[in-house]
């Protein structure tokens, strides 16, 4: 059997809004009024009211969790798309880099030092390189959830 104190401890910290908040307040008010004027015979009615309040809180929490899951799914989708774009860009940059640039990059990765400014022009036609690199950036400029 639940006590009113048990229920209020479980509900504490849960943010209810609008209709849900009013319904829970009404249920608790009814419980308090009933407890003040009741005898041991009405324990079943109190348990039913407490169960209704707990069901209301549970449904509100499940709704909030479902909303959060949808937001996270959308973020995962966006991150997968961004990762794919970055992998394509990485592959392109590797194919355009000279063997000397790749060796310099590998050395920097192994030592953990920041990349040095590039002093030589990249291999390949500059207009093709710029156009290829500009394309992935334009796709990632959309709104995030």
């Amino acid at each position: 059997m639940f006590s009113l104190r048990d229920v209020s401890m479980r509900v504490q910290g849960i943010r209810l809004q609008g209709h849900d908040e009013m319904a829970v307040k009404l249920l608790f008010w009814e419980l308090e009024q009933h407890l003040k004027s009741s005898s041991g015979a009405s324990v079943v009615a109190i348990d039913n009211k407490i169960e209704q309040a707990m069901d209301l809180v549970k449904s509100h929490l499940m709704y909030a969790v479902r909303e959060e899951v949808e937001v996270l799914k959308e973020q995962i989708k966006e991150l997968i798309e961004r990762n794919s774009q970055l992998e394509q860009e990485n592959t392109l940059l590797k194919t355009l880099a000279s063997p000397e640039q790749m060796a310099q990059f590998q050395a920097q990765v192994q030592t953990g030092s920041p990349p040095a400014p590039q002093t030589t022009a990249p291999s390949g036609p500059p207009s093709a390189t710029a156009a290829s690199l500009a394309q992935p950036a334009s796709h990632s400029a959309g709104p995030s959830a």
Side-chain angles (χ1 to χ4, degrees):
M1 180 168 61
F2 295 108
S3 71
L4 186 58
R5 180 175 250 255
D6 293 338
V7 173
S8 68
M9 293 299 285
R10 290 181 186 188
V11 173
Q12 193 175 32
I14 298 171
R15 244 175 90 192
L16 299 176
Q17 297 174 350
H19 178 72
D20 290 341
E21 181 181 7
M22 290 303 295
V24 170
K25 285 181 179 180
L26 180 61
L27 283 170
F28 281 120
W29 180 81
E30 287 178 9
L31 286 172
E32 287 175 351
Q33 296 304 312
H34 196 67
L35 285 173
K36 289 177 184 175
S37 65
S38 68
S39 64
S42 62
V43 170
V44 172
I46 293 170
D47 284 346
N48 288 339
K49 293 286 186 180
I50 291 172
E51 189 172 333
Q52 288 176 1
M54 295 302 288
D55 287 344
L56 182 64
V57 170
K58 179 182 172 185
S59 66
H60 178 76
L61 287 175
M62 291 303 293
Y63 177 78
V65 167
R66 284 188 200 106
E67 280 186 345
E68 187 66 21
V69 165
E70 289 303 315
V71 168
L72 291 172
K73 282 181 180 179
E74 185 63 29
Q75 288 177 346
I76 289 169
K77 179 183 169 189
E78 290 173 4
L79 288 171
I80 288 171
E81 289 173 2
R82 179 69 177 139
N83 188 47
S84 177
Q85 290 173 349
L86 290 172
E87 285 175 350
Q88 290 174 358
E89 182 180 325
N90 188 32
T91 302
L92 174 67
L93 290 173
K94 283 182 179 180
T95 59
L96 296 175
S98 68
E100 296 84 21
Q101 289 171 326
M102 288 302 293
Q104 181 184 12
F105 174 72
Q106 290 297 332
Q108 289 172 350
V109 168
Q110 290 173 353
T111 62
S113 62
Q118 188 174 357
T119 57
T120 61
S123 61
S127 61
T129 304
S132 298
L133 295 178
Q135 184 186 9
S138 67
H139 291 294
S140 63
S144 61

